[in-house]
Amino acid sequence: MIDAFVLKKLVRELSELTGEALRQIHQNGKFGIELIFHGATIRISVEPRLAHVCLTEREYLSGQNPSNFVTLVRARLRNARLKEVGQLDLDRVLYLTFDKIDETGENHEYKLYVELFGSKSNVVLVERDLVLDDLRAFLGKNASYVHTTRKMNPFAGSELKFEGNLMLSRYIVENIAGFSKLTAQEVLYRANIVDKPVAALNDKERVSLKLALVSILEDFENSACCVYEIQGKRHVFAYPLRILGEPIERYDSVSRAVDEAYLWNLRKAQTDKLRQQLLSVVRERLKKQEKLLQTLVEDLKRCEKAEEYKRYGELLKYASVQDSAQGVVECFDWETNQKVLVPLVPGKDTKRSAQWYFEQYKKLKEKAQILKVRIEQLQEQSSYLEQTLYNIESAETLEDLEEIKEELAEIGFTQKSASGAKKPEETSFRKFIYNGFTILVGKNNKQNEALVRKASDSDIWLHVQQLPGAHVVIRTEGRAVPRDVLLYAASIAAHYSKARYSSNVPVDYTLIRNVHKPKGSPPGMMLYTNYETVFVNPLDPESEKKN
C-alpha cells in the first residue's frame, strides 16, 4: 500500500511529534496498535495487505484485550518522550526512538521498529539492539536486531553505476533502494527505454536513466502524494507515476493520503469478505433446495401410478375369481373392449387386491397434492434465492450487504446480530431524474418490497422479464408518462438485472395497483397482472451522469 519513498515523507511528518510524551498505547485489531500523543495519534498496522503507518485523527477502540506485546509496550513506553523518527537506509523500515526514566530513576532508550514487508510486516520493540518482543512473534526475545542492505541510496549522492547482465528493471529493484517492480518500470518509462539487459545499454541510454532517476527525486521533493487504484486496491506514491496517468487523488499531507487509502482498502476488504460469506450461504442453501426439489419431483412422478392403481382396482372389482391364475387376473376392459391381465397383490385374493389398489390410489393422490404444494413453495424460495444472489453480486456498498445480511437473518438463513449490536441503517433507493420524472430503483429484496408499498396506485412498476433484477418505479404524480421516459426506466431495469450484459431485453411494466405480494411469500416476491412488455438495451445511468 505504501513504499519506501512514502515512508521517507512520513518520517518528516511524524518528526513533528519529537519531544512529545506518549500518553497511551491501544490495540487496533489483531495486527495494529495506536500510539496516542497529546497532539496526535500514530496508527501502525502490519496486517499483510494493509500494512502502513500514519498520523490519524481517528482513534479506534476495539474493546479487545491487549496482546502480550501491547501490554509490554505500555509498560515500557507509556509517558516516554519521542526522541527521534527515522528510516533505515531508504528501506520499508521506520523507527521511533523513545527516552524513558523508570521508577528507579534509570534512563532507558527504546526503539520501536515498524517493518512494512507485506506478509512479513512486523512491529519490534528493541532496547540496546536486543529484541524485547515483537507483535507478530517472528523473532526470538533477546535476539539481536540487525538490519543490513547493500542497495545504493539515491538520496545519498552516490554515483549510480549500471553494470552486469541482469534485466534493467530487475537491476533497479535489486540495487537501488526504495524501488519496486512498478516504480522501476516508471524509471524506464521516463527514460524512454524498453527493458533490456544492463550490458546492452549504450552511453546515451545510461544518461537517460540517470536523468529519469533525478526527475523522480525532484518530483519526490516538489510533488503532492498521489493515490492510484491498482487491481482493486489503492496505493500511495510519493510522486506521480507517469506510466499510470492521472492519479485518483492528490494530497499535500502524506498521512492523510495513507489514512484515506487505508480506510478505502479496509472498507473494500470488509465488503469483499461479507459478499463472499453471503454468497456462500445463499449458494449452499440454493444447492440444498435444488437437490430437495429434484427428489420431490421424482416422488411426484412416482405418484403418477395412482391412476394405474385406480384402473386396476376398477378392473378387479368386477373380475371373476375363476379368471385368476398364477398371480394375475384376466379382466375385461369396458373402455377398450379388450381383455387385460391385472397383477394381484402378493398374498391377497382378487377382492383384497382391488381394495389395496384403491387405498394406494387414495394415498398417492393425497401425497401428490402435498408434493405439488411443497414443490411450488420450493420453486418460490429458489426464485427468492436467485434474486438474493443477484442482489449480493450487484451490491455496491458495505451498507447494502449489511441490509441483505439482516434480511437473511430475519428469515433464518444466517445468524442474527448479537444482542445489542447495532442494526444496519436502511440505505436509500437509487434515484434518477429524467425529463422531470423521478425513477427509483431498489437495491435488495426489502427495498424492492418497500418500493411497491410506498408507491402510489398511478405509479408505474417495471421489472426485467423472468430474471432476477431490481424493481423499478416511475413516480408519475398523476401525469401521463411519455414513451421516452418509460423506455429510459426500462433500460435502467435491464441494467440492474441479470440481463445487464445482454441486448434487446424484455422488460414488463404495469401500474402499481396491479402488483401485489402473495401472503407468506419471501421478501421482495411480487405477482403482477395486466402488464405490457418493451424490449430495450441496458443503460447504466451512473455512467451516463459522468458523461
Side-chain angles (χ1 to χ4, degrees):
M1 197 176 87
I2 66 176
D3 64 10
F5 282 90
V6 174
L7 206 57
K8 185 174 180 65
K9 280 193 174 182
L10 280 166
V11 166
R12 296 176 182 177
E13 279 194 359
L14 297 181
S15 294
E16 293 178 10
L17 296 176
T18 301
E20 286 200 24
L22 179 58
R23 294 192 299 112
Q24 185 55 279
I25 300 96
H26 285 159
Q27 182 102 24
N28 185 343
K30 183 179 179 182
F31 296 104
I33 61 174
E34 290 181 350
L35 307 180
I36 302 173
F37 295 83
H38 179 72
T41 296
I42 298 176
R43 183 177 62 234
I44 299 169
S45 173
V46 289
E47 189 169 349
R49 288 180 55 81
L50 300 170
H52 71 283
V53 58
C54 69
L55 291 172
T56 180
E57 296 177 358
R58 306 170 178 86
E59 287 186 19
Y60 174 77
L61 302 177
S62 62
Q64 69 185 71
N65 292 327
S67 63
N68 292 337
F69 175 77
V70 170
T71 300
L72 176 65
V73 172
R74 283 179 178 174
R76 299 299 179 97
L77 298 187
R78 186 184 287 168
N79 297 320
R81 292 204 171 271
L82 181 60
K83 181 180 178 181
E84 181 191 9
V85 181
Q87 181 182 19
L88 296 182
D89 303 316
L90 197 61
D91 205 345
R92 287 173 293 167
V93 182
L94 176 144
Y95 63 86
L96 304 157
T97 305
F98 292 91
D99 273 341
K100 174 77 176 287
I101 299 175
D102 65 18
E103 58 274 10
T104 67
E106 184 179 352
N107 188 66
H108 295 266
E109 183 179 276
Y110 298 102
K111 283 184 182 286
L112 195 67
Y113 288 94
V114 182
E115 303 174 334
L116 304 180
F117 295 141
S119 61
K120 296 296 183 181
S121 296
N122 202 2
V123 184
V124 187
L125 181 63
V126 172
E127 183 179 18
R128 299 191 187 94
D129 294 329
L130 294 179
V131 174
L132 300 181
D133 202 359
D134 64 309
L135 182 60
R136 301 287 299 279
F138 291 154
L139 308 174
K141 293 179 183 179
N142 295 319
S144 296
Y145 187 83
V146 180
H147 178 273
T148 57
T149 181
R150 295 181 179 177
K151 295 183 179 182
M152 64 180 80
N153 187 335
F155 289 96
S158 304
E159 178 66 25
L160 298 174
K161 297 179 180 180
F162 292 92
E163 300 173 341
N165 293 314
L166 288 176
M167 293 297 287
L168 189 50
S169 59
R170 184 177 172 186
Y171 176 87
I172 292 171
V173 172
E174 293 187 3
N175 290 278
I176 307 177
F179 284 91
S180 64
K181 290 180 181 179
L182 177 60
T183 49
Q185 290 297 328
E186 174 71 10
V187 175
L188 300 186
Y189 181 82
R190 293 190 181 204
N192 196 25
I193 298 174
V194 297
D195 202 6
K196 61 173 69 174
V198 173
L201 290 170
N202 57 41
D203 291 342
K204 184 178 178 181
E205 288 172 330
R206 290 173 185 274
V207 171
S208 295
L209 279 171
K210 291 178 181 180
L211 291 175
L213 286 167
V214 169
S215 75
I216 284 176
L217 298 185
E218 289 175 346
D219 281 351
F220 170 84
E221 294 294 346
N222 303 318
S223 301
C225 285
C226 299
V227 177
Y228 295 89
E229 189 172 328
I230 304 170
Q231 296 180 341
K233 183 180 176 184
R234 292 196 173 179
H235 296 260
V236 181
F237 293 92
Y239 50 87
L241 295 186
R242 298 174 190 172
I243 196 171
L244 297 181
E246 275 298 305
I248 295 172
E249 297 284 352
R250 294 176 188 268
Y251 295 89
D252 290 330
S253 166
V254 62
S255 281
R256 187 170 170 226
V258 174
D259 195 23
E260 294 293 338
Y262 162 71
L263 292 173
W264 191 92
N265 288 331
L266 177 63
R267 187 176 179 81
K268 186 175 187 299
Q270 291 171 337
T271 301
D272 291 346
K273 182 179 179 182
L274 181 54
R275 192 191 308 277
Q276 290 308 314
Q277 288 175 344
L278 295 179
L279 285 174
S280 177
V281 167
V282 175
R283 283 171 178 161
E284 185 62 29
R285 177 66 66 129
L286 190 57
K287 184 179 177 182
K288 287 180 180 178
Q289 290 207 166
E290 287 174 347
K291 188 176 180 180
L292 177 58
L293 186 60
Q294 184 180 354
T295 301
L296 295 182
V297 168
E298 289 172 357
D299 284 349
L300 183 61
K301 193 172 182 180
R302 285 191 283 269
C303 289
E304 292 174 359
K305 289 186 70 71
E307 293 301 326
E308 183 180 356
Y309 287 161
K310 181 184 178 184
R311 180 168 171 267
Y312 283 172
E314 293 287 353
L315 291 172
L316 289 176
K317 187 176 177 182
Y318 301 104
S320 170
V321 177
Q322 287 77 14
D323 294 331
S324 63
Q326 296 181 348
V328 296
V329 176
E330 187 179 73
C331 302
F332 184 78
D333 188 347
W334 295 96
E335 292 182 4
T336 61
N337 291 321
Q338 292 180 348
K339 289 184 178 181
V340 295
L341 295 177
V342 178
L344 293 175
V345 178
K348 298 183 185 293
D349 58 18
T350 302
K351 183 177 179 181
R352 290 185 177 179
S353 289
Q355 185 179 1
W356 186 87
Y357 280 127
F358 283 127
E359 288 173 354
Q360 292 303 307
Y361 164 74
K362 184 179 179 182
K363 287 180 181 178
L364 289 176
K365 290 295 283 185
E366 290 174 351
K367 184 178 180 181
Q369 289 302 316
I370 294 170
L371 286 172
K372 285 177 182 177
V373 171
R374 184 68 180 124
I375 287 171
E376 188 176 328
Q377 290 173 340
L378 281 174
Q379 287 173 335
E380 186 179 72
Q381 289 174 9
S382 293
S383 295
Y384 165 75
L385 290 173
E386 291 283 1
Q387 174 67 46
T388 304
L389 270 182
Y390 165 77
N391 292 340
I392 295 169
E393 289 167 349
S394 61
E396 297 167 351
T397 67
L398 183 60
E399 288 77 14
D400 293 340
L401 290 169
E402 289 286 359
E403 273 193 26
I404 296 171
K405 179 183 177 183
E406 192 68 21
E407 173 193 322
L408 292 173
E410 287 175 4
I411 60 175
F413 282 12
T414 60
Q415 288 186 343
K416 290 189 176 182
S417 301
S419 179
K422 185 180 178 182
K423 283 192 174 185
E425 293 183 9
E426 186 175 310
T427 57
S428 57
F429 306 127
R430 297 183 183 95
K431 182 178 178 181
F432 307 100
I433 307 294
Y434 185 76
N435 286 356
F437 284 83
T438 298
I439 300 169
L440 301 177
V441 183
K443 296 179 181 178
N444 53 54
N445 295 318
K446 293 179 78 172
Q447 278 201 9
N448 288 337
E449 194 168 298
L451 261 181
V452 175
R453 188 174 63 249
K454 295 178 180 180
S456 301
D457 284 351
S458 61
D459 291 345
I460 293 178
W461 177 90
L462 305 95
H463 193 281
V464 68
Q465 192 178 90
Q466 296 181 346
L467 280 175
H471 293 214
V472 177
V473 167
I474 305 173
R475 282 188 174 167
T476 66
E477 298 175 355
R479 297 172 292 170
V481 177
R483 184 73 174 174
D484 63 326
V485 174
L486 180 68
L487 293 176
Y488 182 81
S491 298
I492 291 176
H495 173 74
Y496 290 110
S497 78
K498 212 161 186 178
R500 68 187 305 172
Y501 300 113
S502 303
S503 58
N504 208 29
V505 177
V507 176
D508 296 336
Y509 68 94
T510 187
L511 292 172
I512 279 289
R513 61 171 172 260
N514 298 323
V515 181
H516 71 279
K517 176 180 170 65
K519 187 177 181 180
S521 62
M525 298 299 290
M526 298 289 171
L527 295 179
Y528 55 98
T529 56
N530 300 327
Y531 64 90
E532 294 185 52
T533 305
V534 291
F535 291 82
V536 294
N537 292 328
L539 172 70
D540 181 1
E542 295 292 349
S543 64
E544 192 179 62
K545 276 184 186 178
K546 295 171 186 175
N547 296 332

XYZ file of all heavy atoms in Angstrom, residues 23-69:
379
model
N 1.189 9.215 25.574
C 0.208 9.100 26.659
C -0.343 7.683 26.810
O -0.537 7.187 27.895
C -0.960 10.062 26.420
C -0.584 11.533 26.488
C -1.825 12.410 26.548
N -2.673 12.270 25.369
C -3.883 11.712 25.367
N -4.384 11.203 26.476
N -4.596 11.636 24.254
N -0.656 7.033 25.678
C -1.307 5.726 25.772
C -1.021 4.916 24.519
O -0.706 5.457 23.452
C -2.827 5.910 25.951
C -3.615 4.634 26.176
C -3.119 3.805 27.338
O -2.141 3.062 27.193
N -3.767 3.935 28.494
N -1.132 3.595 24.657
C -0.970 2.674 23.539
C -2.220 1.801 23.487
O -2.562 1.142 24.483
C 0.283 1.778 23.682
C 1.546 2.647 23.744
C 0.369 0.784 22.535
C 2.015 2.925 25.153
N -2.912 1.796 22.350
C -4.116 0.991 22.189
C -3.884 -0.134 21.185
O -3.138 0.034 20.223
C -5.291 1.844 21.687
C -5.887 2.723 22.736
N -6.637 3.830 22.432
C -5.845 2.658 24.091
C -7.034 4.417 23.549
N -6.554 3.731 24.564
N -4.547 -1.244 21.422
C -4.568 -2.328 20.435
C -5.575 -1.939 19.355
O -6.679 -1.492 19.647
C -5.016 -3.630 21.098
C -5.025 -4.824 20.170
C -3.825 -5.726 20.367
O -3.217 -5.753 21.424
N -3.480 -6.471 19.346
N -5.212 -2.101 18.105
C -6.101 -1.794 16.984
C -6.252 -3.056 16.143
O -5.523 -3.289 15.187
C -5.515 -0.658 16.142
C -6.441 -0.214 15.027
O -7.372 -0.913 14.660
N -6.176 0.955 14.471
N -7.191 -3.905 16.547
C -7.338 -5.184 15.865
C -6.177 -6.099 16.194
O -5.352 -5.831 17.068
N -6.087 -7.207 15.482
C -5.053 -8.197 15.757
C -3.673 -7.725 15.333
O -2.663 -8.058 15.962
C -5.398 -9.496 15.024
C -4.429 -10.636 15.284
C -4.875 -11.892 14.541
C -3.891 -13.038 14.774
N -4.275 -14.260 14.032
N -3.612 -6.916 14.272
C -2.324 -6.578 13.663
C -1.949 -5.111 13.805
O -1.081 -4.636 13.067
C -2.332 -6.941 12.171
C -2.480 -8.409 11.908
C -3.694 -8.928 11.466
C -1.413 -9.268 12.075
C -3.835 -10.271 11.208
C -1.547 -10.619 11.819
C -2.762 -11.133 11.393
N -2.593 -4.370 14.698
C -2.292 -2.949 14.747
C -2.250 -2.380 16.150
O -2.802 -2.936 17.097
N -1.550 -1.261 16.266
C -1.513 -0.516 17.525
C -1.635 0.965 17.220
O -1.347 1.408 16.101
C -0.226 -0.784 18.348
C 1.016 -0.356 17.555
C -0.128 -2.230 18.773
C 2.306 -0.456 18.357
N -2.069 1.737 18.202
C -2.138 3.185 18.084
C -1.311 3.813 19.189
O -1.461 3.449 20.364
C -3.586 3.665 18.155
C -4.397 3.281 16.930
C -5.824 3.787 16.996
O -6.234 4.280 18.070
O -6.530 3.695 15.976
N -0.450 4.729 18.805
C 0.376 5.467 19.757
C -0.259 6.848 19.919
O -0.278 7.644 18.974
C 1.808 5.599 19.245
C 2.503 4.293 18.826
C 3.911 4.587 18.329
C 2.533 3.292 19.972
N -0.789 7.122 21.104
C -1.554 8.348 21.320
C -0.716 9.374 22.068
O -0.349 9.168 23.233
C -2.865 8.037 22.083
C -3.681 7.011 21.292
C -3.672 9.310 22.309
C -4.894 6.506 22.011
N -0.406 10.459 21.378
C 0.314 11.583 21.968
C -0.700 12.670 22.320
O -1.884 12.571 22.002
C 1.360 12.115 20.982
C 2.448 11.134 20.666
C 2.264 10.154 19.688
C 3.657 11.170 21.351
C 3.265 9.243 19.390
C 4.672 10.268 21.055
C 4.471 9.297 20.085
N -0.227 13.729 22.927
C -1.146 14.806 23.306
C -1.746 15.478 22.069
O -2.935 15.794 22.041
C -0.411 15.861 24.156
C -1.296 17.001 24.555
N -2.293 16.873 25.496
C -1.348 18.302 24.116
C -2.924 18.031 25.620
N -2.358 18.918 24.808
N -0.929 15.646 21.045
C -1.406 16.401 19.891
C -1.832 15.572 18.705
O -2.408 16.101 17.756
N -1.544 14.290 18.694
C -1.855 13.468 17.521
C -1.789 11.985 17.880
O -1.316 11.602 18.950
C -0.891 13.782 16.381
N -2.258 11.161 16.937
C -2.217 9.702 17.107
C -1.509 9.088 15.909
O -1.779 9.452 14.758
C -3.645 9.130 17.209
O -4.271 9.643 18.387
C -3.628 7.607 17.266
N -0.585 8.190 16.187
C 0.085 7.433 15.121
C -0.568 6.053 15.057
O -0.611 5.328 16.045
C 1.584 7.275 15.392
C 2.277 8.647 15.434
C 2.226 6.403 14.316
C 3.747 8.576 15.802
N -1.088 5.718 13.897
C -1.639 4.364 13.710
C -0.620 3.516 12.972
O -0.071 3.926 11.946
C -2.943 4.403 12.914
C -3.574 2.992 12.783
C -4.894 2.991 12.062
N -4.762 3.467 10.706
C -5.479 4.469 10.196
N -6.349 5.116 10.948
N -5.301 4.834 8.947
N -0.374 2.340 13.515
C 0.546 1.375 12.905
C -0.240 0.107 12.631
O -0.860 -0.452 13.531
C 1.732 1.057 13.842
C 2.543 2.327 14.132
C 2.615 -0.026 13.234
C 3.558 2.133 15.248
N -0.219 -0.335 11.389
C -0.872 -1.591 11.040
C 0.107 -2.464 10.275
O 0.765 -1.990 9.344
C -2.109 -1.352 10.175
O -2.641 -2.591 9.717
N 0.224 -3.717 10.702
C 1.079 -4.657 9.976
C 0.241 -5.800 9.411
O 0.737 -6.895 9.168
C 2.222 -5.193 10.875
C 3.227 -4.086 11.142
C 1.694 -5.768 12.185
N -1.057 -5.522 9.223
C -1.900 -6.504 8.538
C -1.353 -6.664 7.123
O -1.171 -5.665 6.401
C -3.349 -6.017 8.506
C -4.312 -7.064 8.012
C -5.764 -6.666 8.229
O -6.025 -5.682 8.952
O -6.625 -7.348 7.663
N -1.081 -7.894 6.695
C -0.331 -8.123 5.459
C -0.715 -7.276 4.258
O 0.140 -6.677 3.624
C -0.568 -9.616 5.202
C -0.667 -10.189 6.578
C -1.378 -9.151 7.401
N -1.990 -7.183 3.912
C -2.392 -6.450 2.709
C -2.656 -4.968 2.981
O -2.936 -4.214 2.060
C -3.639 -7.095 2.095
C -3.355 -8.437 1.431
C -4.609 -9.032 0.830
N -5.272 -8.122 -0.096
C -4.919 -7.939 -1.365
N -3.880 -8.606 -1.859
N -5.590 -7.112 -2.143
N -2.601 -4.567 4.261
C -2.932 -3.191 4.607
C -1.844 -2.535 5.450
O -2.102 -1.561 6.160
C -4.272 -3.150 5.361
C -5.496 -3.685 4.609
C -6.683 -3.814 5.552
C -5.854 -2.776 3.443
N -0.639 -3.062 5.403
C 0.436 -2.580 6.269
C 0.758 -1.116 5.977
O 0.930 -0.713 4.827
C 1.677 -3.442 6.081
N 0.828 -0.300 7.042
C 1.119 1.126 6.878
C 1.372 1.753 8.242
O 1.150 1.142 9.292
C -0.056 1.849 6.212
C -1.238 1.977 7.119
N -2.093 0.936 7.380
C -1.693 3.038 7.858
C -3.034 1.332 8.228
N -2.815 2.608 8.532
N 1.802 3.001 8.197
C 1.903 3.831 9.398
C 1.548 5.246 8.973
O 1.868 5.670 7.863
C 3.323 3.763 10.023
C 4.368 4.194 9.025
C 3.415 4.614 11.276
N 0.837 5.983 9.840
C 0.479 7.366 9.505
C -0.084 8.072 10.734
O -0.456 7.438 11.725
C -0.561 7.408 8.374
S -2.191 6.790 8.837
N -0.147 9.396 10.648
C -0.879 10.183 11.636
C -2.359 10.069 11.303
O -2.740 10.048 10.129
C -0.458 11.653 11.571
C 0.967 11.998 12.030
C 1.278 13.453 11.702
C 1.114 11.760 13.538
N -3.192 9.986 12.316
C -4.628 9.897 12.079
C -5.389 10.661 13.141
O -4.930 10.784 14.288
C -5.097 8.419 12.049
O -6.509 8.380 11.820
C -4.782 7.712 13.363
N -6.528 11.172 12.745
C -7.402 11.850 13.704
C -8.397 10.885 14.317
O -9.133 11.232 15.226
C -8.157 12.985 12.998
C -7.245 14.080 12.474
C -8.017 15.151 11.720
O -9.251 15.001 11.573
O -7.390 16.127 11.282
N -8.439 9.662 13.819
C -9.407 8.675 14.292
C -8.750 7.748 15.302
O -7.740 7.123 14.993
C -9.960 7.858 13.128
C -10.545 8.690 11.999
C -10.825 7.798 10.795
N -11.430 8.514 9.690
C -10.761 9.172 8.761
N -9.453 9.205 8.811
N -11.388 9.792 7.786
N -9.331 7.624 16.463
C -8.868 6.635 17.436
C -9.827 5.465 17.395
O -11.034 5.615 17.533
C -8.829 7.237 18.846
C -7.694 8.212 19.063
C -7.594 8.681 20.503
O -8.159 7.989 21.373
O -6.989 9.732 20.744
N -9.288 4.288 17.172
C -10.116 3.093 17.066
C -9.962 2.272 18.345
O -8.880 1.766 18.645
C -9.699 2.248 15.863
C -10.413 0.918 15.753
C -11.721 0.856 15.288
C -9.778 -0.260 16.132
C -12.380 -0.355 15.193
C -10.436 -1.479 16.044
C -11.739 -1.518 15.575
O -12.395 -2.720 15.493
N -11.041 2.172 19.119
C -11.017 1.383 20.348
C -11.747 0.077 20.087
O -12.978 0.035 20.024
C -11.684 2.163 21.492
C -11.058 3.543 21.798
C -11.844 4.242 22.887
C -9.604 3.392 22.205
N -10.985 -0.990 19.901
C -11.591 -2.269 19.516
C -12.279 -2.959 20.677
O -13.133 -3.807 20.483
C -10.521 -3.203 18.942
O -9.534 -3.489 19.929
N -11.899 -2.600 21.898
C -12.518 -3.248 23.055
C -11.919 -4.605 23.382
O -12.295 -5.230 24.375
N -10.972 -5.079 22.580
C -10.391 -6.383 22.842
C -9.255 -6.264 23.866
O -8.680 -5.193 24.070
C -9.862 -7.007 21.553
C -8.633 -6.290 20.988
C -8.208 -6.863 19.650
O -8.866 -6.680 18.639
N -7.094 -7.579 19.660
N -8.982 -7.360 24.511
C -7.893 -7.360 25.496
C -6.560 -7.164 24.782
O -6.327 -7.741 23.716
C -7.880 -8.677 26.267
C -9.095 -8.832 27.158
O -9.616 -7.845 27.687
N -9.564 -10.060 27.309
N -5.668 -6.345 25.348
C -4.376 -6.118 24.691
C -3.547 -7.395 24.657
O -3.597 -8.216 25.582
C -3.723 -5.045 25.558
C -4.388 -5.161 26.891
C -5.797 -5.593 26.612
N -2.790 -7.554 23.587
C -1.901 -8.712 23.461
C -0.739 -8.553 24.435
O -0.529 -7.484 25.024
C -1.373 -8.806 22.029
O -0.598 -7.656 21.729
N 0.038 -9.608 24.593
C 1.214 -9.544 25.467
C 2.188 -8.475 24.987
O 2.818 -7.777 25.793
C 1.914 -10.904 25.511
C 1.082 -11.948 26.220
O 0.219 -11.614 27.037
N 1.334 -13.218 25.914
N 2.285 -8.334 23.653
C 3.185 -7.331 23.099
C 2.731 -5.926 23.481
O 3.535 -5.098 23.929
C 3.248 -7.470 21.577
C 4.057 -6.397 20.903
C 5.444 -6.432 20.932
C 3.432 -5.336 20.262
C 6.194 -5.435 20.323
C 4.176 -4.330 19.657
C 5.560 -4.383 19.684
